[in-house]
Amino acid sequence: MSEQPTVIRPYGDMTGDGMVQVSFTLPVPHDKRAEGAALQLAGKMGLSPALLVHAKAMGPSHTFFVVYGSVTHLVDLSQVQVVERDFPLLSAKEVNAAIKKKLRRPLVVVGACIGTDAHTVGIDAILNIKGFAGEKGLEYYSEIHVVNLGAQVLVPYLVERAREEKADAVLVSQVVTQRDAHIHNVTQMSAAFREAYPAGKVPLLIAGGPRFEEGSADALGVDRIFGRGTTPGEVASYLVHALTGPARTERTSA
Ligand code: B12
């Protein structure tokens, strides 16, 4: 087998031809000038030559484009940084056994979709018994007590319920990213928990959603971020790792 090169280009019709397809919308009515504008943007993005393969009016003053072209950029595989899973994946049986043995009581999880976000499918996929991708959700685990607060939960209410329920972990979901709402909401949430709880007593804070940057947990003041395609088993395994393993080092600021 030949060795994989470390510097690569995208593949379209032939190895190394650099072909990519991008789509975007410009705030102009669909006409010849709009198409020229799309090609100008493609050129500035490093696509050369670029081919306009689709243009469609999106109402009277916007146009949606698909452009296919060759990028001039190279990808250096040796510079790619990956966040690897740093805890073992456990079966439901192993999760329950670990909680029973180490906590000797059910592990309490409070979950919510915070801010104005009403996209509950993601957090429900993790929490609800029906689960996701063939895995049962956390409600299925006999040693995990799940309180799912649903959509559009305000941070003060989340903090209040977490205290009432004596939550070991708080799981929040953020799907909408307009104006960086996901970043602002999670940062505000983590600050509120640190303010409301004495140092050393803050529950494990977990945020999830499809558009968080990997490795941004520190900046957001949470213990862990979970992204696209997360399964309930991964979250359950992480809870066991973080809450029943050697003492957790709690974050003191974002
Ligand atoms: C379904 C849907 C809706 C439904 C939501 C129903 C519901 N009860 O959830 C409805 C119709 C209500 C809706 C409304 C809106 N939506 Co919408 N919606 C979608 C859609 C099509 C699918 C989202 C989804 O369910 N994905 C499936 C789940 C399983 O995936 P997931 O959320 O990524 O979750 C996984 C992981 O991210 C992770 N995860 C997620 N959360 C958490 C939390 C924790 C703790 C953990 C561990 C893991 C985790 O685990 C999950 C399983 O792997 C997306 C487009 C898309 N294809 O993604 C748009 C989308 C999210 N919506 C969008 C928009 C704009 C809206 C509206 C503003 C539209 C409008 N103008 O009214 C409103 C906003 C409503 C509101 N107040 O939030 C945009 C967001 C754009 C952006 N940049 O933010 C999207 C991307 C569509 C688009 N391309 O424009 N929407």
Side-chain angles (χ1 to χ4, degrees):
M1 205 169 69
S2 63
E3 225 174 86
Q4 179 160 33
T6 55
V7 176
I8 56 166
R9 299 184 74 206
Y11 174 99
D13 304 315
M14 285 177 304
T15 302
D17 62 11
M19 298 304 280
V20 300
Q21 182 167 293
V22 292
S23 62
F24 51 87
T25 301
L26 291 180
V28 283
H30 181 204
D31 56 16
K32 281 282 170 199
R33 191 178 66 123
E35 295 189 0
L39 286 173
Q40 186 192 111
L41 177 65
K44 288 181 176 172
M45 288 168 71
L47 270 73
S48 175
L51 192 67
L52 186 68
V53 292
H54 180 70
K56 190 170 191 306
M58 305 290 287
S61 52
H62 292 75
T63 311
F64 173 74
F65 301 97
V66 179
V67 174
Y68 185 58
S70 176
V71 279
T72 47
H73 312 104
L74 303 172
V75 177
D76 185 350
L77 290 177
S78 67
Q79 299 299 310
V80 176
Q81 287 181 2
V82 178
V83 180
E84 299 282 2
R85 179 166 46 78
D86 53 359
F87 54 91
L89 261 190
L90 306 176
S91 68
K93 217 170 152 188
E94 289 169 325
V95 167
N96 286 330
I99 297 172
K100 234 179 193 165
K101 185 168 168 212
K102 304 268 182 55
L103 285 190
R104 296 205 206 107
R105 59 165 174 83
L107 188 156
V108 181
V109 164
V110 172
C113 208
I114 60 170
T116 58
D117 206 326
H119 293 86
T120 49
V121 178
I123 185 97
D124 287 346
I126 304 299
L127 299 182
N128 289 2
I129 194 161
K130 67 183 178 203
F132 180 71
E135 288 184 10
K136 296 265 199 270
L138 301 189
E139 283 177 352
Y140 170 76
Y141 293 71
S142 56
E143 298 304 314
I144 301 184
H145 173 58
V146 174
V147 180
N148 186 347
L149 301 178
Q152 301 190 322
V153 174
L154 298 178
V155 167
Y157 181 68
L158 177 67
V159 174
E160 188 189 318
R161 288 302 307 273
R163 295 181 94 145
E164 267 172 28
E165 300 288 346
K166 298 191 171 51
D168 296 294
V170 173
L171 275 63
V172 302
S173 182
Q174 286 288 270
V175 174
V176 172
T177 58
Q178 284 157 342
R179 296 198 185 90
D180 284 339
H182 61 314
I183 293 173
H184 298 310
N185 289 341
V186 170
T187 311
Q188 191 205 353
M189 180 277 299
S190 60
F193 271 93
R194 277 193 300 274
E195 202 180 309
Y197 280 76
K201 299 282 178 203
V202 179
L204 190 74
L205 301 177
I206 302 176
R211 294 191 187 182
F212 282 108
E213 236 176 82
E214 272 200 340
S216 62
D218 279 358
L220 298 173
V222 295
D223 294 281
R224 191 87 185 188
I225 294 285
F226 284 93
R228 249 180 317 128
T230 302
T231 65
E234 288 174 298
V235 180
S237 301
Y238 172 68
L239 288 171
V240 165
H241 166 78
L243 291 168
T244 72
R248 170 167 79 107
T249 329
E250 194 177 285
R251 233 166 260 303
T252 48
S253 63

